[in-house]
Amino acid sequence: MKALIVKFGQIGDVIMAIPAIHALHEKGFEVHWVCGKSVKPLLECYSWITPITTDDKGILFGKPVDRIRGILKLWREILFRRFDLCVTLYYDQRYRLLTLPAWAKHRISLSTQLRFTNLIAGRHHTDEYARIVLGIDDSCREQSAPPVSPDRLPPSPLPEKTALRRIVIVPGGVQHLVREQATGHLPAQTLRRWPIENFVELARNLADRNCEVVLLGGPGDEWIRPYFNDITAIDCIGTLSLPEVVSMCSASDAVVTHDTGPLHLAGLSNACLVGIFGPTDPATRVPRRPYTLGIWGGQGFACRPCYDGREFAPCTFNGCMHQVTPELVLEQIDILLSAKSRGVEILWRTITPESNLIPVTSVKQSERRN
């Protein structure tokens, strides 16, 4: 049996879809995945996935001639090919055009018209993709399987550790491609970011403990470097491929990031993971595997969460992210590392900063004074 999967998406969306597609593979399906150039290197690390690369940015945001060229190129790849199942993990019906030349016995695509094909708000996307793709009844059932790690990763690009602990921090990231192209600015980029000053303070505290600090980010994150000029750190900003990020995380002890692609890449590793959330609910996104923690800032805020599945609120100050302190993050890193070193398994969980809470109005006034 053959399955054709269409999912370009952000890194996190692709990774959260992999467990459902892996379940198809275990049922005997040969998996062919239409993906963008950015996630192809990661999907190639799964021996059971055959990527079909397309120019997703050109198709979505290019000039009309670029869109047509990209679609025709994909059509040539799948023309007259036969599949037992075609899964298009998008709501927009225009995505169905991408697989038009392929012959499929059964087709599935997302739709808001039917509950069966609608991603239910408030649920983890991994669960929902599995429910829709595998045809699971929407009744009482256990939560989804953990992330499926690649079975053929490159070696870690980092040298051997020179300290007892190696901690990776991700101060940048958080891109929202659709909003960027549509409006020319990135509200999600600032709303979901933990303040850079908090990352700097955390890095200083880790360095004072003689921990090895690693800066991780993409090619567009060069702006964070000056903030860490006086802190000894290994700079991996814009230098690693997606598979190398997973390998590097596995060669580290812990990763600290906000809600961005590296959060999900780190979820494929075996490092302890602390994710910092505010506008989005960590219970719907945090990788579900041991030694993973989501800290949800904004306790007491009526506006939390502000992401409705499509848009973020027109927020002028993300006080929810400011509520999470470096001290709390450091404390949780210690708890995870201590438990792992003693062989005590801690299942994934989410917490809120219950102590030292600051009302949103006070946070805003303090920020204005500064």
Side-chain angles (χ1 to χ4, degrees):
M1 296 183 293
K2 294 184 179 181
L4 180 63
I5 312 301
V6 179
K7 186 62 178 175
F8 313 148
Q10 303 293 332
I11 295 171
D13 290 334
V14 170
I15 291 176
M16 286 189 286
I18 288 176
I21 309 307
H22 183 252
L24 279 181
H25 167 68
E26 290 188 322
K27 289 178 177 291
F29 279 88
E30 182 181 297
V31 176
H32 301 261
W33 194 312
V34 178
C35 65
K37 297 177 182 178
S38 60
V39 299
K40 178 187 176 184
L42 178 64
L43 294 182
E44 286 179 327
C45 292
Y46 293 89
S47 59
W48 48 274
I49 294 177
T50 301
I52 301 175
T53 314
T54 187
D55 182 10
D56 54 337
K57 292 185 179 180
I59 291 175
L60 294 175
F61 309 112
K63 297 177 181 178
V65 64
D66 296 325
R67 296 188 182 193
I68 294 173
R69 185 182 296 116
I71 293 173
L72 290 177
K73 181 179 181 298
L74 174 59
W75 280 3
R76 285 193 295 269
E77 291 272 357
I78 62 175
L79 184 65
F80 302 133
R81 293 177 64 176
R82 292 177 173 270
F83 296 93
D84 297 275
L85 177 64
C86 178
V87 180
T88 303
L89 294 175
Y90 289 99
Y91 285 106
D92 193 331
Q93 294 189 9
R94 289 176 294 180
Y95 283 94
R96 300 181 187 180
L97 294 174
L98 300 178
T99 61
L100 196 61
W103 186 89
K105 291 182 181 179
H106 184 52
R107 292 178 181 267
I108 298 174
S109 60
L110 301 185
S111 170
T112 58
Q113 303 302 313
L114 299 172
R115 182 183 179 90
F116 172 72
T117 53
N118 188 22
L119 298 171
I120 304 300
R123 296 182 182 178
H124 203 286
H125 278 193
T126 301
D127 287 324
E128 289 298 277
Y129 285 139
R131 176 179 64 84
I132 294 170
V133 172
L134 303 175
I136 300 173
D137 290 336
D138 193 15
S139 57
C140 185
R141 65 187 189 278
E142 293 183 356
Q143 292 175 339
S144 60
V148 178
S149 298
D151 55 342
R152 49 184 187 190
L153 283 171
S156 171
L158 297 184
E160 292 293 325
K161 284 195 302 184
T162 59
L164 179 62
R165 300 292 190 192
R166 172 181 285 167
I167 312 297
V168 179
I169 62 174
V170 189
V174 191
Q175 295 185 356
H176 197 285
L177 189 60
V178 174
R179 290 294 293 272
E180 177 183 10
Q181 297 293 331
T183 66
H185 60 84
L186 293 171
Q189 194 172 39
T190 53
L191 289 179
R192 287 189 289 167
R193 274 186 186 151
W194 200 38
I196 186 67
E197 296 78 11
N198 288 0
F199 273 112
V200 172
E201 183 177 344
L202 176 65
R204 284 203 181 98
N205 290 334
L206 292 170
D208 289 343
R209 295 182 171 195
N210 295 319
C211 292
E212 196 174 68
V213 178
V214 180
L215 296 178
L216 177 61
D221 292 330
E222 292 85 356
W223 63 272
I224 73 174
R225 286 195 176 105
Y227 290 91
F228 298 88
N229 281 339
D230 61 343
I231 301 174
T232 301
I234 299 176
D235 187 349
C236 291
I237 298 172
T239 63
L240 304 182
S241 66
L242 299 186
E244 287 176 328
V245 170
V246 180
S247 297
M248 183 264 286
C249 291
S250 289
S252 304
D253 296 287
V255 180
V256 179
T257 176
H258 31 226
D259 182 14
T260 184
L263 171 81
H264 300 277
L265 291 169
L268 299 175
S269 74
N270 55 20
C272 295
L273 175 58
V274 176
I276 304 169
F277 294 78
T280 55
D281 183 351
T284 67
R285 285 167 170 76
V286 68
R288 289 178 166 174
R289 50 95 158 157
Y291 306 109
T292 298
L293 173 71
I295 303 178
W296 197 9
Q299 184 178 4
F301 291 15
C303 54
R304 183 193 75 166
C306 70
Y307 183 61
D308 63 4
R310 292 177 59 87
E311 302 287 340
F312 288 82
C315 182
T316 59
F317 180 75
N318 57 342
C320 53
M321 297 299 288
H322 287 256
Q323 193 183 77
V324 181
T325 65
E327 292 78 14
L328 175 60
V329 173
L330 190 60
E331 176 188 346
Q332 297 305 315
I333 293 174
D334 289 340
I335 292 174
L336 293 175
L337 290 176
S338 174
K340 190 171 184 180
S341 66
R342 292 181 287 113
V344 178
E345 184 174 86
I346 296 181
L347 300 179
W348 74 273
R349 60 195 178 98
T350 64
I351 66 169
T352 55
E354 297 180 357
S355 59
N356 301 320
L357 294 184
I358 305 174
V360 63
T361 52
S362 299
V363 173
K364 288 182 177 180
Q365 291 169 2
S366 175
E367 181 71 11
R368 293 192 187 100
R369 287 196 298 270
N370 293 335

